[in-house]
């Protein structure tokens, strides 16, 4: 790198060592320290657990699973909306060394069949129904086609009670013996990534991966046993179960469930009534909360922090969250399922520019670098390239797919994220797009994120996504998909072009605008840009 400037490599340092415990042992530590503090609150049902009560409920379910013949390393699926039983299952499986297979609650029968079959899941715990999803009917439909699946237990159904009744068959010595035989490096979770093409891949994570990642995310926002964390994000994803649940319980904090699935009104009410100190969400969730009729009537004065992650965080939205939701210490996290998930995070004492314009710097014990996607050579700071990360957080691999694992984890142990990033001289990272989302217009590389950030400042724009669509002259042309603040006064193409003309290079200015009511989303809050591209690729342009 001689003569080319400082390399785009950095690593997180800190005085706090990594945790060497299993998830069960860490929970034992926290229960002993804070037995009478609240651990879990379910607002919809009004149920509450102190840490001592939570520990007892986890123990009962762990015994029930053990009494049902669940062995160490067996896969136990959880296919449910957010509820206390989801959290109990997470910790109960960890306590006995079963591998929790987290299934997207939006999955339909054919997707469920693939995940259960690919993972070899033997026991499935599922909701009964939610909105248009009849989980019981879909589970019955696929049961005969999944040879490893021997039992299904539905939450709120006699089959759940039957599972718990088996706890009586297990002695203290049996549960202690199982716990004593576990290693923190054992696989404990399979998370199926929500790919836009092909079948999802099962990122396999260990106790060490996710316990430490949750712990250091919580350390970075300053959690103590006095914090109360409102989690409207889905538990099936790392955002909910790692950054949320494990981030809270590893510090003796309380998890607050506002609703089974995201509801902006229920979220704000839970923050107000439960005096939450922290709130999580993807940008679209915060946008929905800020734009809710009557938003100003909620008392959010208890909030001090929170996490915005899952997809790029618009600067203007972040500023409103800080100003109008009292989240002065709100943090941006960046990562992916395969890295447990967080690699970089902004700090509590960062100025507003860093907390709105970057995704922070490497967490303790994690390395990050930016490389040339074609050659793998580390680039100088300030140059965009592919972000790679290495450390305790990198997954064990994709479940039973060594070839797909080798495509993303190189011989040096670096996880190749597929994200385009720039690392500044201060070590802070900016995400400028996905390699596959980058638009190449007439030979110019265009990063949609830059244009989106700019358009968030337009007074008529509530939300925006920029994608490339085929163009006979330039190869690709720039399309801005806009959700207007007022549907009756949507911005025209002329207004968008005029707004951009003085501030953006000519080749970055959108040549098409489409007004939409909503974006196609994954449950984890990522916009499915491929759907937007496909939807509008063949449609004649209109202003």
């Amino acid at each position: 790198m001689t003569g080319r400037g400082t390399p785009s490599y950095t690593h997180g340092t800190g005085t706090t060592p990594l945790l060497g415990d299993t998830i069960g042992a860490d929970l034992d530590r926290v229960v002993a320290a804070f037995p009478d503090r609240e651990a879990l609150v379910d607002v919809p049902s009004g149920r509450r657990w102190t840490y001592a009560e939570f520990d007892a409920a986890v123990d009962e379910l762990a015994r029930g699973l053990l009494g049902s013949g669940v062995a160490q390393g067996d896969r136990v699926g959880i296919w449910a909306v957010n509820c206390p039983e989801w959290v109990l299952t997470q910790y109960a499986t960890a306590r006995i060394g079963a591998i929790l297979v987290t299934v997207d609650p939006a999955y339909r029968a054919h997707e469920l069949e693939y995940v259960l079959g690919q993972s070899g899941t033997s026991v499935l715990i599922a909701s009964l129904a939610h909105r248009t999803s009849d989980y019981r009917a879909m589970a019955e439909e696929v049961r005969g086609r999944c040879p490893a699946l021997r039992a299904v237990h539905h939450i709120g159904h006699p089959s759940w009670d039957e599972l718990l009744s088996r706890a009586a068959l297990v002695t203290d010595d049996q549960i202690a013996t199982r716990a004593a035989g576990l290693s923190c490096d054992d696989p404990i979770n399979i998370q199926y990534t929500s790919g836009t093409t092909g079948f999802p891949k099962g990122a396999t994570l260990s106790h060490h991966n996710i316990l430490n990642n949750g712990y250091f995310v919580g350390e970075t926002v300053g959690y103590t046993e006095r914090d109360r964390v409102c989690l409207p994000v889905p538990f099936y994803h790392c955002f909910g179960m790692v950054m949320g649940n494990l981030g809270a319980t590893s510090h003796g904090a309380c998890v607050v469930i506002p609703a089974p699935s995201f509801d902006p009104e229920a979220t704000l009410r839970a923050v107000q009534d439960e005096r939450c100190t922290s709130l999580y969400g993807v940008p679209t969730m915060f946008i929905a909360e800020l734009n809710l009729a009557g938003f100003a009537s909620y008392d959010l004065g208890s909030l001090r922090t929170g996490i915005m992650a899952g997809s790029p965080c618009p600067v203007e939205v972040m500023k409103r969250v800080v100003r109008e939701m009292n989240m002065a210490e709100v943090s941006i996290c960046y990562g992916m399922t395969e890295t447990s998930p967080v690699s970089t995070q902004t700090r509590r004492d960062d100025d507003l520019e860093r907390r709105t314009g970057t995704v922070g710097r490497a967490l303790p014990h994690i390395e990050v670098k930016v490389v040339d996607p074609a050659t793998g050579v580390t680039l100088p700071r300030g140059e965009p390239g592919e972000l790679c990360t290495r450390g305790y957080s990198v997954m064990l691999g994709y479940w039973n797919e060594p070839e797909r694992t080798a495509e993303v984890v190189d011989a040096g142990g670096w996880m190749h994220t597929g994200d385009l990033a720039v690392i500044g001289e201060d070590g802070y990272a900016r995400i400028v797009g996905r390699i596959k989302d980058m638009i190449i217009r007439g030979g110019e590389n265009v990063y949609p994120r830059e244009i989106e950030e700019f358009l968030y400042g337009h007074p008529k724009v509530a939300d925006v996504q920029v994608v490339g669509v085929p163009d006979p002259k330039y190869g690709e042309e720039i399309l801005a998909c806009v959700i207007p603040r007022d549907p009756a006064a949507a911005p025209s193409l002329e207004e968008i072009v005029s707004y951009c003309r003085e501030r953006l290079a000519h080749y970055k200015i959108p040549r098409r605008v489409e007004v939409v009511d909503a974006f196609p989303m994954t449950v984890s809050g990522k916009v499915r840009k491929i759907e937007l591209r496909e939807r509008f690729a063949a449609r004649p342009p209109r202003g």
Side-chain angles (χ1 to χ4, degrees), residues 270-297:
V271 169
Q272 172 183 273
D273 294 350
E274 293 296 329
R275 308 305 296 160
C276 294
T277 60
S278 177
L279 173 62
Y280 286 17
V282 298
T284 52
M285 291 180 176
F286 283 103
I287 290 168
E289 290 155 9
L290 288 162
N291 292 339
L292 189 68
F295 166 78
S297 67

Side-chain angles (χ1 to χ4, degrees), residues 5-285:
T6 307
S8 288
Y9 167 87
T10 184
H11 64 277
T13 59
T15 57
T16 304
L18 289 166
L19 302 174
D21 291 332
T22 62
I23 291 169
D26 187 71
L27 181 60
D28 290 342
R29 170 184 66 82
V30 174
V31 170
F34 309 112
D36 298 324
R37 294 203 70 90
E38 279 193 329
L40 180 64
V41 173
D42 182 49
V43 174
S45 68
R47 292 179 290 170
R48 297 172 180 272
W49 291 258
T50 64
Y51 266 94
E53 293 164 343
F54 180 71
D55 183 57
V58 167
D59 190 66
E60 180 185 31
L61 180 53
R63 289 167 182 263
L65 290 167
L66 204 59
S68 299
V70 174
Q72 181 178 343
D74 279 358
R75 274 74 70 205
V76 175
I78 178 76
W79 186 38
V81 293
N82 285 13
C83 62
E85 288 79 7
W86 206 112
V87 185
L88 294 173
T89 301
Q90 176 183 349
Y91 289 83
T93 50
R95 181 160 280 177
I96 63 170
I99 300 174
L100 185 69
V101 179
T102 50
V103 185
D104 185 339
Y107 274 3
R108 313 312 286 179
H110 76 282
E111 296 161 312
L112 174 68
E113 181 182 346
Y114 174 79
V115 165
L116 296 182
Q118 202 276 333
S119 62
T121 292
S122 59
V123 175
L124 177 65
I125 293 172
S127 294
L128 276 167
H130 181 68
R131 294 179 178 167
T132 61
S133 295
D134 187 337
Y135 296 107
R136 188 178 179 189
M138 286 188 279
E140 285 303 309
E141 179 184 337
V142 307
R143 192 168 183 175
R145 302 197 293 269
C146 297
L149 186 63
R150 57 180 174 80
V152 179
H153 301 280
H154 289 283
I155 298 164
H157 183 265
S159 58
W160 175 260
D161 298 328
E162 188 271 336
L163 173 61
L164 294 181
S165 73
R166 292 178 176 267
L169 304 175
V170 177
T171 66
D172 290 344
D173 286 345
Q174 285 175 296
I175 198 99
T177 299
R178 173 67 66 86
L182 304 181
S183 163
C184 66
D185 294 318
D186 291 338
I188 204 62
N189 179 214
I190 300 175
Q191 297 243 350
Y192 280 87
T193 59
S194 50
T196 54
T197 58
F199 288 111
K201 304 179 292 290
T204 307
L205 305 169
S206 68
H207 293 268
H208 196 65
N209 287 150
I210 61 176
L211 174 59
N212 277 291
N213 204 252
Y215 176 71
F216 279 101
V217 167
E219 283 286 285
T220 304
V221 293
Y223 283 159
T224 72
E225 71 277 10
R226 293 181 293 278
D227 280 293
R228 299 173 68 80
V229 186
C230 183
L231 295 180
V233 294
F235 288 149
Y236 93 91
H237 191 265
C238 276
F239 200 174
M241 69 168 286
V242 178
M243 299 157 67
N245 293 342
L246 286 169
T249 62
S250 60
H251 291 87
C254 178
V255 169
V256 176
I257 304 173
S261 57
F262 177 62
D263 177 329
E265 186 176 2
T267 299
L268 295 179
R269 191 183 314 114
V271 169
Q272 172 183 273
D273 294 350
E274 293 296 329
R275 308 305 296 160
C276 294
T277 60
S278 177
L279 173 62
Y280 286 17
V282 298
T284 52
M285 291 180 176

Side-chain angles (χ1 to χ4, degrees), residues 320-339:
R320 287 191 67 195
V321 167
V322 170
R323 183 174 64 249
E324 298 174 39
M325 300 182 79
N326 299 303
M327 294 169 62
E329 298 178 12
V330 65
S331 179
I332 286 182
C333 290
Y334 161 81
M336 60 192 307
T337 302
E338 290 89 338
T339 55

